[in-house]
Amino acid sequence: MRTALLQSSGHPGSTAGNLKVLDEAAGRAAAAGAGLLVAPEMFLTGYAIGDDIARLAEPADGDGADAVAEIAGRHGIAVAYGYPERDGDTVHNSAQLISAEGTRLANYRKTHLFGCFERDHFTPGDRPVVQAELNGLRVGLMICYDVEFPENVRAHALAGTDLLLVPTAQMHPFQFVAESLVPVRAFENQMYVAYVNRVGAEGEFEFVGLSTLAGPDGIARTRAGRAEELVLADADPAFLAASREANPYLKDRRPGLYGSLI
């Protein structure tokens, strides 16, 4: 499945502005043959927007989701995007996957919050593995810091995730995560990992870009630079199956030895 990675910070604080950016990117991605467009963490509203997070947060089936579904259906492309999710008095840092027909397929709440900023504004989720079937692939959702915990990604591998989508707000000086850690996660867990970052200055943060789609051989199929960019690469089920057959990591595990990790 051709996958498009939208590396952009959009218009922080403007849901309408970000929907326009997403619409334009969906059109370009669909024209290039992509079946899936992935946008960064908190793309719908912006990340470093302080108390506006709570003001702009909305339910998983809110107006923002309806607008994304309309974009997905009109362009015939599935869309995954980050947004602040309101559930009563609680706000989660969430990511949602919507099909090319405009159907909500999966919603994930970030389980590992990074730093004081996120802990001040969000409540962590408690479901580490959220998946959906899309174009012959089992697609999983995760957000930014979550991928830095090997247990999280291994849980997806054991649940059969083929393509792990990671909307991200990766900031300086942690660019080694995009450059080194993400390809290793893809290799050691035998899956594709789409890591899609924000870029540029936003509030107190400097986002580093470097969005990538890494394959199960640990090789980046595409990598963005440090500017606004739309990059594309393929997640190939046949290559994934052959790689899993050749790589023994998951077969050679000895779970009985790992009890002390829990």
Side-chain angles (χ1 to χ4, degrees):
M1 177 173 61
R2 182 152 296 174
T3 302
L5 316 182
L6 173 58
Q7 179 168 286
S8 172
S9 286
H11 303 281
S14 173
T15 299
N18 293 323
L19 286 168
K20 289 180 180 178
V21 174
L22 192 68
D23 190 5
E24 188 271 340
R28 290 170 55 201
L36 171 64
L37 171 67
V38 187
E41 180 175 3
M42 291 285 288
F43 184 75
L44 194 62
T45 61
Y47 181 90
I49 58 174
D51 291 340
D52 280 347
I53 290 173
R55 181 178 65 83
L56 295 174
E58 59 180 67
D61 60 355
D63 291 344
D66 288 345
V68 176
E70 190 279 329
I71 290 170
R74 178 158 41 82
H75 293 291
I77 187 171
V79 178
Y81 66 100
Y83 74 107
E85 178 192 355
R86 177 167 295 285
D87 183 5
D89 293 331
T90 301
V91 176
H92 299 279
N93 184 337
S94 296
Q96 184 149 230
L97 174 63
I98 293 179
S99 75
E101 293 74 37
T103 303
R104 294 173 52 244
L105 296 179
N107 188 69
Y108 170 78
R109 296 168 173 176
K110 190 173 187 177
T111 54
H112 296 76
L113 301 180
F114 179 78
C116 295
F117 178 83
E118 291 192 5
R119 288 192 289 270
D120 286 346
H121 289 94
F122 301 110
T123 297
D126 56 10
R127 288 185 61 199
V129 177
V130 173
Q131 299 169 311
E133 300 296 323
L134 182 68
N135 297 344
L137 292 171
R138 183 169 294 178
V139 176
L141 290 170
M142 194 173 282
I143 299 174
C144 196
Y145 193 40
D146 291 328
V147 81
E148 298 178 39
F149 292 82
E151 301 89 345
N152 256 27
V153 188
R154 180 53 54 88
H156 269 275
L158 296 177
T161 293
D162 300 315
L163 170 60
L164 183 62
L165 310 181
V166 190
T168 292
Q170 180 63 65
M171 57 200 68
H172 178 81
F174 304 111
Q175 49 265 33
F176 71 89
V177 173
E179 294 170 337
S180 301
L181 186 147
V182 168
V184 169
R185 287 285 179 271
F187 179 74
E188 69 189 4
N189 291 289
Q190 287 300 288
M191 61 175 62
Y192 287 94
V193 179
Y195 188 79
V196 187
N197 201 9
R198 305 179 70 82
V199 66
E202 188 178 332
E204 62 186 284
F205 306 112
E206 178 71 28
F207 299 114
V208 299
L210 302 175
S211 299
T212 188
L213 178 67
D217 52 2
I219 296 173
R221 297 300 191 272
T222 187
R223 186 180 295 282
R226 299 294 188 95
E228 301 262 338
E229 195 169 354
L230 182 72
V231 297
L232 298 96
D234 293 330
D236 181 356
F239 182 86
L240 179 60
S243 182
R244 286 174 170 171
E245 184 64 28
N247 187 309
Y249 276 162
L250 298 181
K251 298 174 186 175
D252 288 350
R253 293 174 64 252
R254 297 181 61 193
L257 301 179
Y258 310 148
S260 62
L261 297 179
I262 300 175

